[in-house]
Structures are given as C-alpha cells and as structure tokens.
Amino acid sequence: MEESSGNSRRIEVVFSPAMFPVYFDNKDVAVVVIDVLRATSAICAAFDAGVQEVIPVATVEEAQAYKDMGYLVGAERKAEIVPGFDFGNSPLTFKDTDKFKDKSIVLTTTNGTRAIEAAQDATHLLIGAFTNLDAVCKKLEELDKDVLLFCAGWKDRFNLEDTLLAGAITKKLSSENLRFSNLSDSALASISLYNEAEGNLYQYLGNSSHRRRLSSLNLEEDIIYCLTPNQTEVVPVLHENKLVTKIPELTYS
Amino acid sequence: MEESSGNSRRIEVVFSPAMFPVYFDNKDVAVVVIDVLRATSAICAAFDAGVQEVIPVATVEEAQAYKDMGYLVGAERKAEIVPGFDFGNSPLTFKDTDKFKDKSIVLTTTNGTRAIEAAQDATHLLIGAFTNLDAVCKKLEELDKDVLLFCAGWKDRFNLEDTLLAGAITKKLSSENLRFSNLSDSALASISLYNEAEGNLYQYLGNSSHRRRLSSLNLEEDIIYCLTPNQTEVVPVLHENKLVTKIPELTYS
C-alpha cells in the first residue's frame, strides 16, 4: 500500500521531441531516450562491441569537425550513411569489434541524437532499446525517480516502434514494482499497444511508416536485430555530454 | 484497387496542440478538432439545442469582452465554470433549449478552443465528438481531402479519450471507404486503442487522467453523455471565425 501511494513514481511517455518541453517541467527525472530504428539500438551495440564512449552531436557539421580531428564518426540522414562518414546508424556495423574496441566514437542521426540533445539537462539520461530492455528497467528501479520515456519519433511525428518499447518498459516497471504505479494517459496507451504487439513485434509493425521506409532500403536484418529484446546488459548514460556506461560517481554495468 | 493507390487520402492523428504545427504542413486539409471531455461534445450539444453560432475564443479576457456586449458566454478553466460567466463546457447545459435557441453564444475552454484557434487556417475545420461520430465521418467522405484528426489533449499532453475518438473515426473511414487507406503511425495506433476500448469506452477510460479529474468533480453524467455515440447529426464547421452548421457556399446538415 505504502509503495503505491504518496511515494509512487510517475511514468509518462513523450511521443515526440515537439512535446518534450511540455513534459520536462522538472529536471530531476530519469529520461530514457528511445529511437528503436535505429539510433539507440546502434548505441547499445557500440558499447557491447567495446566502445569506450559515444559523443552524440545534433548536426552533420559538428560530426564533420570531429571527423577532421581523426575520430571514427557515424552520420545518418534519411536512413542512409551520409557520404564521407565511417558508418550510419546500423547496429550491425558494430559486429566488427576489432575496429571499435576502446574507441571514442561520434554519432549524429535524424532523430535520436536530437532527442538526446533536447533532454541533456535531465538528472539522468539513459539510452533505451529493445536490445537492453531488462537492463534499462533494472536501472530505472535503482534510480527511483519519476520516469520520462522519450520517443525520438520521426521528424517530430509519432512513431509506433518507439511507442512499443515505451509500452514494454512501462509494463515491466508497473507490474514488477509497486512504486511505479502512477501512469499517465500516454503510459496507459503505450501498454495497451505493447500488449497487442507483444510476441510478434515484427508483424505488428508491418504497416508502420518507418518499417516500410527501412524495408524499401533492404534493411530487414537491421529491423529484426532492433526488435529482438535483451541482447545486452549495457545501459549507456549521458555524462558530461558523452554517452558512457561507467561514470565516476556511479557504476553502470 | 484504383481507390487505394494514387488517390488515397491520408489520415493522421495529432495527439497534442504542441505537435500540430509539425503535421499542418499543408493547409488544404480537413481538420477535425476533438475535445471529447468536454468542449467539442458541448459545441455539438449547443447546435442540437438550436444555437445559431458559437464564437470560440482562446482567452477569458476575450470572453469577458463579449459578455460585456450582452452575449451568452461560456468559460471553463480547470474543468469548472469561470466565476461570472453563464456556463462552462458541460454539454448538459444545453438541455435548456429555450435559453439557447437561435442565439449566438461565445465559448472559451482550457483545451478545445485553443485547438480551434491553432487550426483556423485549414480549408475545412470540423468539430468532432462521439455524439456526432457518424455525421463527421460522412462529412469527411464528402470533402475528400486528407484528414488531420486533432486531439486537443490536456494542456498539450496526450489524452486517451480524444485518441479513442480519433481511432473510431479512422476505423470507420478506412474500413468503409477505400479512398481513406493511407494511415500514418498515429492513425494505426489510434485504431488499435479504439479496438481495445470499443464496446466499453467508459470502463476502458476508468484509469485515464481526465476521467479521474472529472469524476472527482461529480461529473459522471457528463462523461456518460460525452462517450455515447451518435446522438446528433450536426457537424459544426468554422466559417469566418465562427462555428456554424450552415454556411453560404455549402450546406451542412
């Protein structure tokens, strides 16, 4: 009883960067940035491959400046690698672990890195993907703050795949931990959608705009990877404008 | 086949006034403003009671100016009547048809009238509620434009009841008319949610933030009224900054 009353943690889902300022009225929250296809899935894959840090930048110009300094730099626009850069936002890039182990890399993407920038002042900023679903939930339980699940969307529009992950996180937190019982309408809607899609995310997303966009570019292998839960334990967090998995004060597994 | 290809009409659902500018990139569309609890339900009820026109205004100050001129003026903030005004946004106000027949009335509400103002430059702006669901769908078929279903939300946040009506409209249009086959992710999500809630909207909304807010003010009768489909054939439309059901060029039933 006590857990579900005055001390309950609020979960809200933000469906678009255009709505983020409305929900971000208190900075002392844990924000999870979600860009399932494909930025946040790629960031988790990068750390799984041994990358030391990921420097997210919002513009191609900033990315180019790092490239000129000799960094390994990823840049994606319109779902494709920007010409002249080392990689885009495909998580499968990071299968080549020798290339990335212990490196600092830089990344700019259409939606994901913009969302990271928008939320950079939050007390905690975590990177969420289906691939690290359980690990993110565990971290949110430890942090014990109100939670904003921030869907990067597609050019400020709502998208389904990010919403489904928000639903999966909300469902897990609210069913397993009584402290997370204060659900906004957006959280309730996300759970409803996830309940319908659970078990066959790929099929459920068959008509979604983004899956159609990627399928037309022959990225089915990427999509399947990004929709497969719990492939890694890493939970990247933002610290001094860089994504890391270990920070001095706190240790993230 | 032909109907579902090049000539198909796009349906997008906008979950919040904060997202409206993102979706409103072409003004030659039919926008349906939706504020189920309770502004758009009340506006439909007003016309059903014989009101001649509803002048929507965004601020209490504008509403006061009309009141000073002798108009009947409704003003709602925080779900209650603003002191000094004639009514708020309860549709049951309009049971008293003698008071309202043939009158021009003025209305300002927390969310609904702000949404009307945001969308006022659309080629067609219609008022949607569960109470006029079938009539709105019929009108959208006649207009044959791309459709934006614009949920007024709650203070720029997503809300469930407006989304369910958007889902009901999308489902009806896309299942009965092949021309409306181009569904955005937000439209697909709205249909999914409506499918789950259909048949017992009241129960489904039991945990929603807005229903809880109204229930605590003893407004159950309002809620039941607002969730009961097809009580009227009126479809209010915006014409020269006023809502009417008949305009010179076109006749709305």
Side-chain angles (χ1 to χ4, degrees), chain A residues 121-167:
Chain A
D121 293 335
T123 301
H124 301 282
L125 187 157
L126 288 63
I127 298 297
F130 277 106
T131 60
N132 74 346
L133 169 59
D134 284 358
V136 163
C137 291
K138 185 163 168 281
K139 195 60 62 186
L140 290 170
E141 291 189 343
E142 288 169 15
L143 295 174
D144 207 24
K145 299 276 183 188
D146 286 345
V147 173
L148 289 185
L149 303 174
F150 182 9
C151 301
W154 180 261
K155 296 188 175 175
D156 281 330
R157 283 168 150 83
F158 172 92
N159 83 22
L160 269 172
E161 66 274 12
D162 294 346
T163 306
L164 292 177
L165 176 56

Side-chain angles (χ1 to χ4, degrees), chain A residues 70-132:
Chain A
Y71 280 81
L72 269 173
V73 180
E76 168 271 346
R77 290 294 183 273
K78 298 178 184 170
E80 300 193 90
I81 300 175
V82 180
F85 287 90
D86 302 304
F87 53 94
N89 66 352
S90 170
L92 302 183
T93 301
F94 301 100
K95 277 186 171 173
D96 183 1
T97 53
D98 289 346
K99 185 173 168 185
F100 292 103
K101 192 162 166 37
D102 298 327
K103 291 278 169 56
S104 290
I105 66 169
V106 176
L107 183 65
T108 184
T109 73
T110 307
N111 305 293
T113 53
R114 282 183 54 219
I116 292 167
E117 187 176 51
Q120 64 187 349
D121 293 335
T123 301
H124 301 282
L125 187 157
L126 288 63
I127 298 297
F130 277 106
T131 60
N132 74 346

Side-chain angles (χ1 to χ4, degrees), chain A residues 12 15-16 18-19 22-23 155-160 183 185-186 188-189 192-193 196 204 207-209, chain B residues 12 15-16 18-19 22-23 155-160 185-186 188-189 192-193 196 204 207-209 212:
Chain A
E12 297 198 280
F15 290 127
S16 153
M19 293 178 83
V22 175
Y23 289 86
K155 296 188 175 175
D156 281 330
R157 283 168 150 83
F158 172 92
N159 83 22
L160 269 172
L183 304 184
D185 275 19
S186 57
L188 292 167
S192 277
L193 292 169
E196 195 173 340
Y204 183 83
N207 287 317
S208 74
S209 59
Chain B
E12 298 197 280
F15 290 127
S16 152
M19 294 178 83
V22 175
Y23 288 86
K155 295 187 175 177
D156 280 329
R157 282 168 150 82
F158 171 93
N159 82 23
L160 269 172
D185 275 20
S186 58
L188 292 167
S192 278
L193 293 168
E196 196 173 339
Y204 184 82
N207 288 318
S208 74
S209 58
R212 280 179 287 171

Side-chain angles (χ1 to χ4, degrees), chain A residues 39 61 86 147 154 176 192 196 210 214-215 227:
Chain A
E61 290 67 31
D86 302 304
V147 173
W154 180 261
E176 293 178 5
S192 277
E196 195 173 340
H210 203 156
L214 295 186
S215 291
L227 299 180

Side-chain angles (χ1 to χ4, degrees), chain B residues 75-118:
Chain B
E76 168 271 345
R77 289 296 183 274
K78 297 179 184 170
E80 300 194 90
I81 300 175
V82 180
F85 287 90
D86 302 305
F87 53 94
N89 66 352
S90 170
L92 303 183
T93 301
F94 301 100
K95 277 185 172 172
D96 183 1
T97 53
D98 289 346
K99 185 173 169 185
F100 292 102
K101 193 164 166 32
D102 297 327
K103 292 278 170 57
S104 289
I105 67 169
V106 175
L107 183 65
T108 184
T109 73
T110 308
N111 305 293
T113 53
R114 280 184 54 219
I116 292 168
E117 187 176 51

